[in-house]
Amino acid sequence: MVPFREIVLKVHSRCDLACDHCYVYEHVDQSWRTRPKAITDEAVSWTARRLAEHAKTHALPSVTVILHGGEPLLAGPARLRRVCEELTAALAPLPTRLDLRVHTNGLQLSPRYLDLFDEFGVRVGISLDGDRAANDRHRRFADGRSSHPLVLRAVQLLHEERYRHLDLGLLCTVDTENDPVAVYDALLELAPPRIDFLLPHATWEQPPARPDGSPTAYADWLLTVFDRWDGQGRPVPVRLFDSVLSTLGGGPALTESLGLAPTDLVVVETDGALEQVDSLKSAYEGAAATGFDVRRHALDEVAAHPGVRARQLGLAGVSGTCRRCPLVRSCGGGLYTHRYAAAGGFDHPSVYCADLTALIQGVEDRTAARGAPAALAGPAALAAEQLELTRMVLAELHSALDGRGGPQWAEAWRRAGEAERDSAALDEALAHPYARGWLLDRFEAPG
């Protein structure tokens, strides 16, 4: 069993925007309608208790709690203070470090919230889809008004000297109808500590929008951003790109949407229900449900749930098609939610499969030469590297013989030493195409 190291705590289940791409309100699972608007005091207390219990059982060095929604700031400063106090107090007796975060649209952000967050070390991530034109494509008020000026105000407030240490960065949902360069430039202009590009949640039942019909529209959009970011010397971390680069180099994925690392996240709803990753609400009604809640069940019970375990199987947990794909260790089959189809459930490649393939291969093609050894840069460099390798084999063979090569070898070694004074002569001999093969054969019978 993989313990949970991250809890998404739904402190408010409503929102002050009417974003038409929101998976909570606009997709098939409408369970938000039956839940309390704000998290109950009882649910907060039980969540803190369950988290401390889990951290102690598994000796976790740290746990992350993300205050989420809906829009979490609608819970108000008093309720958010209670959440922070209870979580902090529950973990205080343990060596486990508490990493508190909040993901917000920024509309309600003000000094009273940021002073509270500063007190408890709550770091702030803000959702923004780019410049005004891009952001207003989806992130509007219910009456159609733009939210962009208010979000910019929130970012500027967060960047004041007294609050800047709380800044987690910007989260941007990709829309291929937006200009990728304009979006990236608008985000970069705000000097965030990190940018995170997110694919809009979609399934095989409700595929992503592709206005131009291209099967790689999202990859093309992202690679345009990558080229600009890379050409500028990568001035800010971009989690999606950094994750692809990490996995291509044999390292870990840095985001749940890529790689084969097991999930270690659980969601607590405002009524205390314990659920799987929130994006599953895009698949079907009840897809995220476990039947557990914080009052009656320990987090270990949720970790043993079949739905959670399915996302902890690594390579064995992806479809047969994905297991046969050479990119699977970078792609990881894509986000679990994006694999869903009514027939076969989640046993499919991602609905973004073509995009992920093009993105990973595109990044690899653009960066492979920089990561390759100098010997592979051209024929001359390769020949020089091969010659150096042959010289090393010659020295190793002489050491292995240790005087057992007889008079002929002794004479050959003496002459090699003389030729070494004229390195070009020795190099010419060792560069013969059969030289290294002959030396390696001598290792087979060093006497």
Side-chain angles (χ1 to χ4, degrees):
M1 181 188 72
V2 177
F4 295 118
R5 292 177 172 82
E6 187 171 308
I7 289 182
V8 174
L9 186 58
K10 297 300 194 75
V11 294
H12 204 279
S13 65
R14 304 299 192 270
C15 190
D16 43 2
L17 284 181
C19 307
D20 59 14
H21 59 5
C22 181
Y23 63 88
V24 174
Y25 306 111
E26 301 298 329
H27 289 199
V28 291
D29 190 311
Q30 294 290 298
S31 55
W32 64 272
R33 297 179 183 276
T34 64
R35 294 202 158 104
K37 289 184 178 179
I39 192 168
T40 64
D41 291 342
E42 182 186 21
V44 172
S45 297
W46 274 107
T47 298
R49 185 183 309 182
R50 295 301 187 191
L51 179 58
E53 173 186 89
H54 196 65
K56 182 177 181 179
T57 298
H58 297 281
L60 298 179
S62 66
V63 291
T64 298
V65 178
I66 301 173
L67 309 180
H68 212 279
E71 170 48 49
L73 300 191
L74 290 178
R79 191 172 300 275
L80 291 177
R81 171 174 290 279
R82 174 167 186 143
V83 171
C84 294
E85 287 176 343
E86 293 232 21
L87 291 170
T88 301
L91 289 171
L94 303 176
T96 304
R97 183 178 67 86
L98 176 61
D99 176 9
L100 282 169
R101 306 179 180 193
V102 61
H103 286 175
T104 173
N105 61 31
L107 302 188
Q108 304 292 325
L109 201 64
S110 66
R112 63 175 183 163
Y113 283 105
L114 288 172
D115 288 341
L116 170 65
F117 295 157
D118 186 30
E119 182 180 346
F120 289 96
V122 183
R123 293 184 291 165
V124 182
I126 294 179
S127 296
L128 179 66
D129 286 352
D131 57 8
R132 181 164 182 157
N135 196 71
D136 284 355
R137 192 178 294 279
H138 299 289
R139 296 186 181 277
R140 290 178 173 269
F141 288 95
D143 61 4
R145 286 179 296 125
S146 170
S147 66
H148 191 256
L150 293 176
V151 182
L152 291 189
R153 186 191 67 179
V155 173
Q156 291 161 2
L157 176 61
L158 184 57
H159 284 185
E160 289 185 7
E161 187 61 32
R162 56 183 169 158
Y163 300 130
R164 190 163 186 102
H165 63 288
L166 300 176
D167 190 7
L168 263 180
L170 301 173
L171 296 86
C172 172
T173 300
V174 174
D175 187 315
T176 59
E177 292 195 81
N178 290 329
D179 182 334
V181 171
V183 167
Y184 167 75
D185 285 352
L187 298 177
L188 185 65
E189 186 178 354
L190 297 174
R194 187 179 76 181
I195 297 172
D196 200 0
F197 289 109
L198 309 173
L199 292 172
H201 289 316
T203 68
W204 289 103
E205 299 303 314
Q206 295 184 318
R210 298 185 182 277
D212 65 355
S214 169
T216 60
Y218 291 88
D220 298 341
W221 194 98
L222 287 165
L223 286 170
T224 300
V225 175
F226 180 88
D227 288 339
R228 189 163 183 83
W229 173 74
D230 193 47
Q232 294 173 337
R234 305 178 186 180
V236 60
V238 176
R239 187 166 67 160
L240 180 61
F241 299 154
D242 288 337
S243 186
V244 172
L245 291 165
S246 175
T247 57
L248 286 173
L254 308 177
T255 171
E256 182 196 7
S257 60
L258 294 172
L260 293 168
T263 182
D264 58 0
L265 178 151
V266 65
V267 177
V268 181
E269 291 285 354
T270 55
D271 58 359
L274 288 159
E275 296 203 333
Q276 301 176 65
V277 62
D278 222 26
S279 63
L280 284 170
K281 295 182 187 299
S282 300
Y284 58 88
E285 184 79 34
T290 66
F292 299 135
D293 66 75
V294 290
R295 300 172 190 82
R296 297 175 297 146
H297 303 98
L299 294 184
D300 276 9
E301 294 179 77
V302 187
H305 185 277
V308 175
R309 295 295 296 273
R311 293 182 292 117
Q312 298 177 340
L313 297 175
L315 187 60
V318 301
S319 71
T321 301
C322 294
R323 287 195 295 273
R324 293 186 295 271
C325 176
L327 300 180
V328 68
R329 297 198 178 277
S330 287
C331 169
L335 190 70
Y336 190 74
T337 298
H338 298 168
R339 307 174 199 171
Y340 177 74
F346 298 94
D347 189 25
H348 302 278
S350 169
V351 72
Y352 288 105
C353 180
D355 290 294
L356 295 174
T357 299
L359 173 63
I360 294 167
Q361 290 179 337
V363 170
E364 184 175 33
D365 291 345
R366 286 160 168 78
T367 59
R370 277 174 275 169
L376 301 182
L382 180 58
E385 190 74 10
Q386 292 288 325
L387 178 59
E388 180 62 24
L389 185 58
T390 303
R391 293 172 68 92
M392 291 171 59
V393 172
L394 174 62
E396 286 291 328
L397 177 57
H398 182 67
S399 176
L401 287 171
D402 193 22
R404 293 178 289 118
Q408 287 184 322
W409 180 262
E411 178 63 15
W413 186 255
R414 184 187 66 79
R415 292 190 179 186
E418 290 180 352
E420 184 69 14
R421 298 188 187 98
D422 178 7
S423 60
L426 181 61
D427 288 351
E428 185 177 352
L430 294 180
H432 190 283
Y434 297 149
R436 183 147 48 98
W438 182 86
L439 291 169
L440 291 171
D441 285 344
R442 295 311 92 194
F443 273 115
E444 300 293 331

